[in-house]
Amino acid sequence: MNDKESPFNERSKVTLPTKSQAETILDVKTLPKKDETLSPELSMLDEQWAEMAQDWQSQPFVKTDINKLLRQTKQRTLIAKLLLSLDIVATLGMLIVGLYMWINNSKDQATMIYLSGGGALSVIYVYFAVKFRVNTWRANCGSPDKAIEHAIAGCQSSLSYIKLIKLSCFVICPLSNWYLFTSSQQMSKSPMFAFIFLNVLIIALWLITQTFYRKRNKELKFLKSL
């Protein structure tokens, strides 16, 4: 038997592939793809995240209407100017009437003292009211970019003004009761109804201002959160 034809030689033969055959064999495209199926745990986790995202997106949220906020700030500024004007007019009226009574040597000493003292206290009141208001009005340029900032300043000014009104109630109460008591000495009727009406009016004024104070304070916290 020829050595070339022996079975050992046949088994030992190695056939090398051609270049095209090697490229075909090593082509990664022909490799089996990785199984993209997720495990049950991962699928459940994705579902939970999807539910959480959906719940978060469905939650209500507050949108800030800048134009509405500007209109509200402008409207409140006009009301504040009107109230300040009334305060100034009332103060001047008390001082003018008290001065007129003093010049004419009025015998109604109680009324003259009440108007003069009330007018002097009112001057102090108006001074602080103007100070609180004017500084805020000067800074308010009406720009939409600063609408929230101006609204916050307006709320802070309102809170200071309301505190001033609440403080004035404690000053008006004893002064008004003194005047009513002194004037009642010359009355034939009992002043009890007048005392009750006066004090109920002062208490109602304080409670109203306290309600506005809480409302403005709540609004200020909301604006600051924006």
Side-chain angles (χ1 to χ4, degrees):
M1 181 180 292
N2 192 354
D3 294 337
K4 295 181 180 181
E5 295 178 358
S6 64
F8 296 101
N9 291 332
E10 290 292 335
R11 292 177 182 177
S12 62
K13 287 182 180 180
V14 177
T15 304
L16 297 175
T18 63
K19 182 178 180 181
S20 60
Q21 291 175 341
E23 291 177 352
T24 304
I25 294 173
L26 297 176
D27 189 3
V28 295
K29 296 181 180 180
T30 61
L31 296 175
K33 294 182 179 181
K34 184 180 180 181
D35 187 9
E36 296 179 355
T37 305
L38 297 176
S39 63
E41 293 80 4
L42 293 177
S43 298
M44 185 178 299
L45 185 61
D46 288 342
E47 291 178 0
Q48 291 176 353
W49 275 107
E51 291 178 358
M52 291 175 62
Q54 186 176 2
D55 293 339
W56 179 79
Q57 292 175 358
S58 61
Q59 290 179 355
F61 62 94
V62 180
K63 293 182 179 179
T64 305
D65 191 342
I66 299 299
N67 293 327
K68 182 178 179 180
L69 192 61
L70 286 172
R71 290 195 302 270
Q72 186 182 56
T73 303
K74 184 178 180 180
Q75 182 180 5
R76 289 180 177 177
T77 300
L78 292 175
I79 295 175
K81 289 181 178 179
L82 177 61
L83 292 175
L84 185 59
S85 300
L86 293 176
D87 291 335
I88 295 174
V89 171
T91 300
L92 291 175
M94 294 176 67
L95 292 175
I96 291 173
V97 174
L99 181 62
Y100 176 81
M101 293 179 67
W102 179 73
I103 292 174
N104 289 274
N105 296 320
S106 175
K107 295 181 179 181
D108 191 355
Q109 297 294 322
T111 302
M112 186 173 62
I113 293 173
Y114 177 75
L115 292 176
S116 301
L121 293 173
S122 185
V123 169
I124 300 174
Y125 169 86
V126 169
Y127 168 77
F128 285 103
V130 171
K131 183 178 179 180
F132 294 148
R133 294 299 194 181
V134 172
N135 291 335
T136 303
W137 295 339
R138 287 177 179 175
N140 189 356
C141 59
S143 174
D145 298 335
K146 296 184 178 180
I148 297 177
E149 181 180 347
H150 293 156
I152 291 175
C155 281
Q156 291 174 339
S157 176
S158 296
L159 288 173
S160 299
Y161 182 73
I162 293 172
K163 287 180 180 179
L164 188 62
I165 296 176
K166 291 171 63 179
L167 180 62
S168 66
C169 289
F170 294 100
V171 178
I172 293 173
C173 184
L175 182 62
S176 299
N177 279 275
W178 170 84
Y179 172 70
L180 185 59
F181 174 77
T182 304
S183 300
S184 66
Q185 302 297 319
Q186 302 175 357
M187 298 179 183
S188 58
K189 296 181 180 181
S190 174
M192 186 59 64
F193 176 78
F195 276 109
I196 294 175
F197 177 79
L198 173 64
N199 288 279
V200 168
L201 183 63
I202 294 174
I203 293 173
L205 177 62
W206 191 91
L207 292 175
I208 292 173
T209 53
Q210 178 65 14
T211 302
F212 276 100
Y213 180 83
R214 291 180 178 178
K215 184 178 179 181
R216 290 290 183 271
N217 195 28
K218 184 178 180 180
E219 184 178 351
L220 179 62
K221 291 180 180 179
F222 171 74
L223 289 171
K224 286 184 176 181
S225 67
L226 297 178

